[in-house]
Amino acid sequence: MSSEIFWRINTEKSSEDKPMGEKHAPAIALPAQVKAGDKFKVRVFVGGGKHPNLSEHHIQWVELRVDGLYVARAEFAAVITEPEVEFTVVCPHRKFTEVSALARCNLHGLWESKATLSFVE
Ligand SMILES: [Fe+2]
């Protein structure tokens, strides 16, 4: 495998290897709608059980961003934790539109997914 995978942020769409993309691109679960100023949960999970969780190959961390701004990070110890996490987020106003998650695999680099926030009136 080329080391180029470490020199970019990969996405499921940009991956030339579909199973590789499915195993690494973080899945983001958001409420259908959120209200400005109220807490909501953002669940992020990687691999859907298909990504290895071994000391030599595992997901090291997941980072959450809102409109590209860092908001939270979870780190995972190999073998003993699964790369699944739930963050509690508050967006103070409706200006925010996008939630993104970045995951890092120690063998396959950075992977990003994005989801759109929908606000109730
Ligand atoms: Fe991997």
Side-chain angles (χ1 to χ4, degrees):
M1 181 187 324
S2 165
S3 62
E4 284 184 22
I5 200 166
F6 283 102
W7 302 345
R8 62 183 181 226
I9 295 176
N10 304 284
T11 65
E12 188 168 0
K13 194 173 177 182
S14 74
S15 176
E16 293 161 11
D17 180 334
K18 188 171 167 46
M20 174 80 82
E22 290 172 352
K23 277 193 263 187
H24 290 89
I28 303 171
L30 290 174
Q33 290 193 306
V34 300
K35 187 174 179 184
D38 282 2
K39 294 180 195 175
F40 60 94
K41 305 290 185 185
V42 179
R43 185 168 169 256
V44 180
F45 48 104
V46 183
K50 295 178 186 166
H51 190 279
N53 190 3
L54 308 167
S55 58
E56 64 272 20
H57 184 195
H58 62 280
I59 302 298
Q60 298 173 299
W61 49 260
V62 163
E63 195 170 281
L64 188 72
R65 296 177 183 185
V66 176
D67 280 6
L69 302 170
Y70 168 88
V71 293
R73 183 177 179 140
E75 297 193 34
F76 307 105
V79 181
I80 199 166
T81 55
E82 287 294 323
E84 301 179 12
V85 61
E86 186 175 80
F87 299 104
T88 302
V89 179
V90 179
C91 286
H93 49 72
R94 298 166 49 98
K95 197 171 85 175
F96 294 109
T97 57
E98 182 185 84
V99 170
S100 58
L102 194 64
R104 188 173 196 283
C105 168
N106 68 319
L107 286 187
H108 301 110
L110 292 170
W111 292 79
E112 185 180 49
S113 298
K114 296 177 178 178
T116 302
L117 281 171
S118 176
F119 287 89
V120 294
E121 292 299 319

